[in-house]
């Protein structure tokens, strides 16, 4: 089963992705994580990506599409994959259609008023990538799952979050229509807390989808 996770920054894509990938044995491919790893390792792609991610803008399509196209040729993708944060505009969606067969799109809709707080309060584990919100950490600085150090992403500040939301509205939101027309989209409300509640709904729909493949 090959899936796309669609949703605004902070909608909960990464949070659901970990759960979905684990349950269905899919490879979790997050373009944001790929860029952050490259930035950390100081690669050429990382240097280029940093100038865009720091401002909340999209990394150029040719670079992003080439990375995903290559990643999907790795043997582990034969068991199925979950794209998180890709595609992010019409160009990327049309490019993806030329080299991948997508079975379903999980779209997480959310009230945008919630996103600023969710993102500016987010802390992420350096080791396993698990996301937390400061309001539930009670001062903890280590990951409850693996003990790794928690940090705040450089783009999780009010100014950059504002830019990321504008990019989402202009470039990514139109993909909802694109995949609705293809008849492969499944819509969810990401407002429900905790994330486990949303995952129960996602699971019900994906179990059904899996039975049809
Ligand atoms: P990326 O890393 O993809 O960031 P994003 O899309 O802005 O999304 P986030 O990771 O911020 O949010 P999320 O939806 O994963 O939310 P999360 O689960 O963490 O991209 C970063 C940058 O890389 C881009 O700006 C761009 O520059 C570049 N880039 C990436 N892909 C690209 C592409 N295809 N093309 C070009 N450039 C690209 O949850 C957020 C918070 O909410 C957490 O604190 C979490 O604990 C909490 N939370 C989650 N679910 C719930 C819930 N149900 N109830 C309560 N709290 C919840
Ligand atoms: Mg994410």
């Amino acid at each position: 089963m090959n899936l796309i996770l669609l949703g605004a920054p902070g909608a909960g894509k990464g949070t659901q992705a970990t759960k979905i990938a684990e349950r269905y044995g899919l490879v979790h491919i997050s373009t944001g994580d790929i860029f952050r790893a490259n930035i950390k390792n100081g690669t050429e792609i990382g240097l280029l990506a940093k100038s865009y991610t720091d401002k909340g803008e999209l990394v150029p399509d040719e670079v992003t599409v080439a990375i995903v196209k290559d990643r999907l040729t790795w043997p582990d993708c034969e068991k199925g994959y979950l794209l998180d944060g890709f595609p992010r505009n019409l160009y990327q969606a049309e490019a993806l259609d030329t080299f991948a067969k997508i079975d379903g799109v999980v779209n997480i809709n959310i009230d945008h008023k919630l996103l600023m707080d969710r993102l500016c309060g987010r802390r992420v584990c350096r080791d396993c990538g698990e996301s937390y919100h400061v309001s539930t950490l009670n001062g903890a600085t280590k990951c409850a799952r693996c003990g790794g150090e928690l940090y705040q992403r450089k783009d999780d500040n009010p100014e950059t979050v504002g830019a990321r939301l504008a990019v989402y509205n202009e470039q990514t939101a139109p993909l909802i229509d694109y995949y609705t027309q293809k008849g492969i989209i499944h819509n969810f409300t990401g407002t429900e807390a905790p994330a486990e509640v949303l995952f129960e709904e996602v699971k019900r729909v994906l179990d059904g989808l899996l039975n049809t493949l």
Side-chain angles (χ1 to χ4, degrees), residues 13-14 30 36 84 122 153:
K13 301 185 295 297
S30 156
R36 281 184 289 277
D84 163 7
R122 173 168 59 184
R153 266 171 52 176

Side-chain angles (χ1 to χ4, degrees), residues 77-88:
C77 287
E78 278 166 25
K79 61 183 180 181
Y81 51 81
L82 174 61
L83 293 172
D84 163 7
F86 182 94
R88 250 180 157 88

Side-chain angles (χ1 to χ4, degrees), residues 7-16 30-33 35-36 49 52-54 56-61 64 84-89 92 118-119 121-124 131-134 153 155-156 164 190-196 198:
K13 301 185 295 297
T15 305
Q16 295 301 319
S30 156
T31 40
D33 287 349
F35 290 133
R36 281 184 289 277
Y52 295 92
T53 58
D54 278 358
E57 293 171 3
L58 296 186
V59 176
D61 288 334
T64 312
D84 163 7
F86 182 94
R88 250 180 157 88
N89 59 25
Q92 294 182 6
R118 271 201 189 183
L119 291 174
R122 173 168 59 184
R123 299 295 180 271
V124 185
S131 277
Y132 298 89
H133 192 274
V134 271
R153 266 171 52 176
D155 57 349
D156 281 348
R164 286 157 64 196
T191 314
E192 301 303 326
E196 282 69 23
L198 170 57

